[in-house]
């Protein structure tokens, strides 16, 4: 075992001489063996070691006995000892988490405090190769995405240093043999024998079969994990490079994407772009799975121009033609509005601002967001659409429903009810801002006292970072 761990530490550059290392010690055989290994076997590294124990207060007296055991061992060995107690059951209820997630959050918060106190280079955890197999299998079965399928990383940034897992290259049996060889006492958590917990079912029923097929299966899974993490890192970098092409608008609780731009990417990058967007909206606390990502891709590929999908934590994805927007906000019917636009005035609407500026001559280049009127037409009315609205588009004899124009121009459903409509003093619609102008907006032959109307649509891109 010692040579295996030594080689693993060297291969992954986990420790340096005179490093300060916090060790998470529960009192079980794995963490006791790791603590002993770092304080005795690796004496040439001259490490400064701090043992950190979290009492989760989940097993009454047994939890207190675990704490006392670790404290006693550290005192005997002259190891600095830090402990904390947390009512995980209460924390779980307050934050509406599972027991495992609540315990993990409390534990890592404590570890972070200890690392900061000692300016530690590393937090060493005692996960071994069997734990890695169980983790990877569980995540495959329950639909993890991306790097989650790769299991636990050998090291990753945390607090003032790195989380390291020196035992990922060895098995549970090797850990137990190490404890026997060095006459190390340890505590046993009775819950480890119960099939109530998912991990235990994998441990008791799946892992033995794999070990029968290949006693070194833990090495195969660890190699697979490292390759997956390396591949995933590269693919995520590629996906991140395409975000600006895919994202149309965004803020903290809203993202709008261009479906065509997304679909132009290879499918592996499509999945990861969606993953990055969801991870951004959920602020890293990702309750989504591969199933949600595939459901979104199916919705995007559908021939139906509109569709919606409800995602975890009341996030909703709404497809409208070639765009899709994600939002946590409740989709209520927007409030109608009506404003008067005066000469040299401006009106701000939910989608953008319309300004009126007198001009001496018609500009040589005009965009669909520009309209030239005569001063005599003012004041104008800028409003949201009404049921049955009709306009006589430029060049047409008859009128057309504004609703049909929105459909023809594939205006997003989320914007139709608040899209600015401009009408004259007679109540005629003269402009669907940025979309089409009316025959009634035609200038007279004299073209006196011209006014330039400009529609500036709002941009919501705030430069948020995706991780």
């Amino acid at each position: 075992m010692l040579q295996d761990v030594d080689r693993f530490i060297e291969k992954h550059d986990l420790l340096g001489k005179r490093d300060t290392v916090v060790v998470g010690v529960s009192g079980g055989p794995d963490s006791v063996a790791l603590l002993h290994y770092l304080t005795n076997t690796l004496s040439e590294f001259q490490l400064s070691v701090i043992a950190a124990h979290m009492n989760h207060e989940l097993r009454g007296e047994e939890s207190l006995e675990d704490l006392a055991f670790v404290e006693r061992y550290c005192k005997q060995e002259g190891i600095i000892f830090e402990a904390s107690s947390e009512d995980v059951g209460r924390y779980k209820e307050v934050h509406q988490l599972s027991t495992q997630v609540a315990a993990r959050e409390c534990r890592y918060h404590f570890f972070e405090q200890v690392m900061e106190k000692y300016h530690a280079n590393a937090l060493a955890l005692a996960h071994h190769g069997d734990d890695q197999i169980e983790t990877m299998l569980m995540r495959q079965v329950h639909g993890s995405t991306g790097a989650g399928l790769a299991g636990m990383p050998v090291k990753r940034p945390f607090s003032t240093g790195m989380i390291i897992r020196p035992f990922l290259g060895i098995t549970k049996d090797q850990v137990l043999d190490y404890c026997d060889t060095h006459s190390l006492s340890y505590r046993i958590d009775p819950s480890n024998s119960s099939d109530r917990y998912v991990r235990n079912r994998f441990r008791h029923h799946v892992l033995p079969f794999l070990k029968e097929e290949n006693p070194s299966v833990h090495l195969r899974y660890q190699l697979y994990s490292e390759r997956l993490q390396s591949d995933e890192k590269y693919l995520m970098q590629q996906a991140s490079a395409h975000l600006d092409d895919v994202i149309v608008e965004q803020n903290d609780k809203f993202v709008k994407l261009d479906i065509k731009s997304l679909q132009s990417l290879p499918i592996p990058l499509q999945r990861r772009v969606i993953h990055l967007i969801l991870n951004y909206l959920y602020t890293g606390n990702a309750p989504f799975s591969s199933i949600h990502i595939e459901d979104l891709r199916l919705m995007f590929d559908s021939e139906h121009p509109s569709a919606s999908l409800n995602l975890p934590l009341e996030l909703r994805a709404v497809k409208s033609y070639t765009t899709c927007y994600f939002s946590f906000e409740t989709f209520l019917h927007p409030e109608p509005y009506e404003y008067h636009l005066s000469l040299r005035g401006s009106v701000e609407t939910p989608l953008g601002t319309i300004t009126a500026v007198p001009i001496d001559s018609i500009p040589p280049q005009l965009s669909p967001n520009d309209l030239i009127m005569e001063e005599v037409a003012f004041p104008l009315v800028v409003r949201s659409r009404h049921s049955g609205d009709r306009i006589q588009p430029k060049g047409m004899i008859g009128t057309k429903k504004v609703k049909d124009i929105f459909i023809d121009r594939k205006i997003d459903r989320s914007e139709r009810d608040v899209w600015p409509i401009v009408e004259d003093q007679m109540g005629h619609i003269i402009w669907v801002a940025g979309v089409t102008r009316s025959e009634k907006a035609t200038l007279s032959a004299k073209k006196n006292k011209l006014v330039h109307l400009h529609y500036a649509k709002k941009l919501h891109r705030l430069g948020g970072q995706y991780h």
Side-chain angles (χ1 to χ4, degrees):
M1 167 187 151
L2 299 181
Q3 290 181 345
D4 292 339
V5 179
D6 289 346
R7 284 194 295 266
F8 194 82
I9 290 174
E10 182 178 2
K11 174 185 176 181
H12 296 284
D13 191 26
L14 299 187
L15 292 167
K17 283 193 175 182
R18 298 182 180 84
D19 275 354
T20 299
V21 183
V22 175
V23 185
V25 187
S26 66
D30 309 336
S31 59
V32 169
L34 178 61
L35 182 61
H36 183 273
Y37 174 84
L38 294 176
T39 53
N40 290 271
T41 308
L42 282 184
S43 56
E44 71 274 13
F45 275 77
Q46 299 177 336
L47 302 175
S48 297
V49 176
I50 300 95
H53 176 86
M54 164 63 77
N55 174 14
H56 300 99
E57 299 184 6
L58 291 172
R59 296 184 292 113
E61 285 298 318
E62 288 182 351
S63 294
L64 292 173
E65 290 170 3
D66 290 346
L67 189 155
F69 169 80
V70 178
E71 183 177 20
R72 186 165 56 250
Y73 175 84
C74 291
K75 186 175 182 179
Q76 292 172 353
E77 299 295 320
I79 300 169
I80 300 172
F81 176 70
E82 293 282 347
S84 179
S85 296
E86 182 75 40
D87 186 347
V88 170
R90 184 174 179 277
Y91 184 91
K92 165 187 172 181
E93 292 179 2
V94 170
H95 297 278
Q96 297 182 329
L97 302 170
S98 68
T99 301
Q100 289 78 10
V101 172
R104 185 183 186 280
E105 287 191 4
C106 293
R107 187 165 60 249
Y108 276 74
H109 179 65
F110 166 60
F111 289 154
E112 184 175 16
Q113 291 177 325
V114 177
M115 287 191 72
E116 290 174 353
K117 178 179 178 178
Y118 292 93
H119 306 288
N121 305 95
L123 168 64
L125 302 178
H127 300 112
H128 47 69
D130 291 1
D131 292 328
Q132 183 73 296
I133 296 174
E134 294 161 11
T135 299
M136 293 174 71
L137 289 173
M138 287 166 59
R139 292 181 179 177
Q140 289 168 15
V141 169
H142 292 104
S144 287
T145 61
L149 293 171
M152 296 175 284
V154 175
K155 63 180 180 180
R156 68 173 177 86
F158 180 75
S159 187
T160 58
M162 306 286 288
I163 289 178
I164 62 172
R165 295 181 171 91
F167 279 4
L168 283 182
I170 61 174
T171 65
K172 178 74 169 187
D173 286 342
Q174 287 177 288
V175 171
L176 294 175
D177 287 343
Y178 181 89
C179 289
D180 288 343
T181 299
H182 295 276
S183 302
L184 299 176
S185 300
Y186 48 79
R187 300 277 297 171
I188 297 294
D189 183 348
S191 66
N192 288 340
S193 62
S194 171
D195 276 355
R196 283 182 54 200
Y197 302 102
V198 175
R199 180 177 289 276
N200 289 352
R201 294 197 290 274
F202 277 92
R203 180 175 300 164
H204 299 155
H205 305 291
V206 181
L207 193 58
F209 168 76
L210 295 177
K211 286 180 173 289
E212 280 186 22
E213 293 296 314
N214 180 3
S216 297
V217 67
H218 65 289
L219 298 178
R220 298 298 95 206
Y221 267 78
Q222 183 55 37
L223 181 60
Y224 182 43
S225 169
E226 292 171 19
R227 287 176 177 173
L228 269 178
Q229 289 177 29
S230 177
D231 292 350
E232 188 63 24
K233 181 179 180 180
Y234 172 76
L235 287 171
M236 278 298 191
Q237 288 173 345
Q238 297 300 308
S240 296
H242 291 282
L243 281 172
D244 284 343
D245 299 326
V246 173
I247 302 300
V248 178
E249 300 173 11
Q250 72 179 81
N251 60 37
D252 290 344
K253 295 187 178 297
F254 174 91
V255 168
K256 183 176 180 180
L257 65 83
D258 182 86
I259 295 174
K260 293 297 184 184
S261 296
L262 178 72
Q263 291 175 324
S264 70
L265 302 176
I267 290 177
L269 293 188
Q270 290 183 34
R271 294 193 183 103
R272 285 161 178 82
V273 166
I274 295 171
H275 180 105
L276 288 170
I277 291 171
L278 293 179
N279 207 46
Y280 165 74
L281 288 168
Y282 286 120
T283 62
N285 184 20
F288 61 92
S289 69
S290 58
I291 295 173
H292 298 114
I293 292 177
E294 292 308 312
D295 284 346
L296 285 166
R297 287 194 59 252
L298 286 173
M299 183 175 76
F300 298 155
D301 290 342
S302 170
E303 294 181 358
H304 295 288
S306 60
S308 64
L309 185 65
N310 293 322
L311 298 165
L313 302 183
E314 299 184 351
L315 178 64
R316 192 177 178 201
V318 179
K319 172 187 174 183
S320 181
Y321 298 107
T322 61
T323 62
C324 177
Y325 56 89
F326 299 82
S327 179
F328 286 105
E329 297 175 357
T330 304
F331 290 85
L332 299 175
H333 192 74
E335 289 291 327
Y337 62 87
E338 180 174 312
Y339 306 108
H340 286 83
L341 176 62
S342 60
L343 192 62
R344 294 186 177 85
S346 67
V347 165
E348 184 174 349
T349 75
L351 293 182
T353 302
I354 296 179
T355 57
V357 179
I359 55 175
D360 295 327
S361 61
I362 299 176
Q365 291 184 337
L366 295 173
S367 75
N369 291 326
D370 298 295
L371 180 67
I372 305 301
M373 295 292 299
E374 292 182 78
E375 187 177 314
V376 69
F378 282 77
L380 301 175
V381 171
V382 180
R383 62 170 174 81
S384 53
R385 71 168 176 166
H386 298 161
S387 177
D389 271 345
R390 303 184 75 91
I391 185 174
Q392 182 184 0
K394 180 70 174 175
M396 282 186 62
I397 297 175
T399 62
K400 189 172 184 178
K401 288 182 178 180
V402 172
K403 174 183 177 182
D404 292 338
I405 291 174
F406 282 151
I407 293 173
D408 293 344
R409 297 292 294 272
K410 297 183 178 180
I411 300 298
D412 195 303
R413 283 176 173 268
S414 66
E415 299 180 337
R416 294 176 190 175
D417 285 336
V418 289
W419 198 280
I421 306 291
V422 181
E423 64 179 28
D424 62 17
Q425 297 174 40
M426 301 298 292
H428 299 134
I429 295 177
I430 58 173
W431 193 29
V432 178
V435 176
T436 189
R437 66 186 182 97
S438 169
E439 182 69 29
K440 295 184 182 297
T442 302
L443 299 175
S444 68
K446 294 183 178 180
K447 298 180 182 178
N448 291 327
K449 296 183 178 180
L450 300 178
V451 182
H452 181 187
L453 298 185
H454 178 71
Y455 173 49
K457 194 173 182 184
K458 290 180 179 178
L459 295 178
H460 298 286
R461 182 180 294 276
L462 301 181
Q465 296 297 308
Y466 293 80
H467 300 282

